[in-house]
Amino acid sequence: MDKNGSFIWKISNLGGAISNATIYPMMYVSFSIYDKELDEYINVIVEMTDYYSANNCYYRNSDGSFYIKDDKQSELDAFIEKYTSLFYSNEGEYLAYNITPYFTLHYNDYKENTCNKIYTLVDDELFEDDSEHKVFGDTMKQLKEISEIPNPDIVASLKFDTSCVVFVNYENAITHQPIDDEQTYNDYLYSVILDLFDSKSKPIEEMYGQAILSNGTLWRRDIDTGELIWVADDIEDFGFIE
């Protein structure tokens, strides 16, 4: 904790000299609900795009450590409480959740080779600096290296501040929804989570989103009628959409 009470991640480099070091932190929240018919849990993963700030991440050469300021935990708690409460009150279902940070490290090693590594928590239990928890006798290892970050089902802001865009990854399409007010943001995000719990594999006509990119074809939804209108073929990704 810093002097203002904010949490600080300190990720120490124990592997030798590095240069041009940059870290890219990401925060994911996974909601899960139990499907009685399938006898399994269905997960919906949300990437919170504005949780970490690039201005609050740096590498300190003096002690060989990355520092990441984590000062939005109360906002994240409020976000989770809001949606778990909505599902419990409106759907009568208990919505479980899991919080997972990811850290992508980019640097040059002592041979000047470019390296990219991804880390996440070893488990859900976080140990503080003064914890007596030890691994292998003397080193507290709380991070593990992974090969890739899971593809999120929803990419959205932690909370609505200004106009924003919510992206949804269905199995065969990506959708794009610009939002201009907080109530619409809350309602839309709740509806999308519910829709993905129902099924991530849908025809494009049933997908949420003003624009839909499916198999290289871009469609837009008519605001008045809801009808899908073809825009273009051979599109690789969303750009700026008027």
Side-chain angles (χ1 to χ4, degrees):
M1 306 292 287
D2 68 7
K3 61 183 180 180
N4 297 318
S6 296
F7 186 77
I8 301 289
W9 287 100
K10 178 183 178 182
I11 301 178
S12 299
N13 167 37
L14 304 177
I18 63 174
S19 61
N20 298 324
T22 308
I23 190 166
Y24 302 96
M26 302 171 70
M27 178 58 75
Y28 278 32
V29 178
S30 176
F31 293 110
S32 60
I33 196 166
Y34 181 69
D35 188 305
K36 295 179 180 178
E37 293 184 1
L38 297 176
D39 191 26
E40 63 182 27
Y41 283 92
I42 301 173
N43 299 313
V44 172
I45 302 173
V46 185
E47 177 188 344
M48 315 308 308
T49 56
D50 57 346
Y51 188 84
Y52 291 110
S53 169
N55 296 328
N56 292 329
C57 305
Y58 62 92
Y59 183 75
R60 183 181 293 169
N61 287 300
S62 59
D63 63 355
S65 297
F66 291 95
Y67 289 83
I68 305 104
K69 189 173 184 180
D70 188 328
D71 58 358
K72 295 184 179 179
Q73 292 187 27
S74 60
E75 295 176 18
L76 182 61
D77 290 340
F79 174 88
I80 292 170
E81 171 64 25
K82 175 171 61 181
Y83 287 100
T84 52
S85 297
L86 277 173
F87 272 88
Y88 184 77
S89 59
N90 292 343
E91 302 301 323
E93 297 282 356
Y94 173 71
L95 191 68
Y97 68 90
N98 185 55
I99 301 170
T100 308
Y102 294 96
F103 306 97
T104 301
L105 276 57
H106 177 86
Y107 61 90
N108 294 336
D109 64 14
Y110 71 100
K111 294 182 178 180
E112 290 302 313
N113 294 319
T114 300
C115 302
N116 287 287
K117 295 186 177 181
I118 304 170
Y119 293 89
T120 190
L121 292 179
V122 171
D123 53 41
D124 294 335
E125 186 172 3
L126 179 66
F127 298 100
E128 301 288 351
D129 287 342
D130 59 356
S131 169
E132 295 181 358
H133 176 76
K134 299 292 181 182
V135 178
F136 305 124
D138 57 357
T139 303
M140 184 191 301
K141 294 185 178 180
Q142 298 191 143
L143 298 180
K144 61 181 177 182
E145 186 174 355
I146 59 175
S147 60
E148 60 182 3
I149 298 174
N151 190 38
D153 299 302
I154 301 171
V155 180
S157 302
L158 178 60
K159 67 175 185 178
F160 182 89
D161 284 324
T162 57
S163 297
C164 64
V165 175
V166 175
F167 291 90
V168 181
N169 292 314
Y170 289 92
E171 286 190 2
N172 299 311
I174 302 172
T175 71
H176 164 291
Q177 179 68 34
I179 297 176
D180 295 322
D181 65 86
E182 184 175 6
Q183 187 60 53
T184 302
Y185 171 83
N186 293 336
D187 294 343
Y188 183 78
L189 200 54
Y190 169 75
S191 298
V192 168
I193 293 173
L194 184 62
D195 188 53
L196 292 173
F197 277 140
D198 176 62
S199 175
K200 298 178 184 179
S201 177
K202 295 176 179 289
I204 61 173
E205 292 82 7
E206 298 179 10
M207 296 177 181
Y208 281 79
Q210 182 175 319
I212 299 173
L213 179 60
S214 178
N215 299 317
T217 300
L218 180 63
W219 304 81
R220 70 174 178 86
R221 193 180 302 278
D222 185 276
I223 297 176
D224 297 322
T225 66
E227 179 184 357
L228 285 180
I229 301 171
W230 174 87
V231 177
D233 291 323
D234 300 321
I235 305 295
E236 294 183 2
D237 201 354
F238 279 117
F240 292 98
I241 299 176
E242 294 293 338

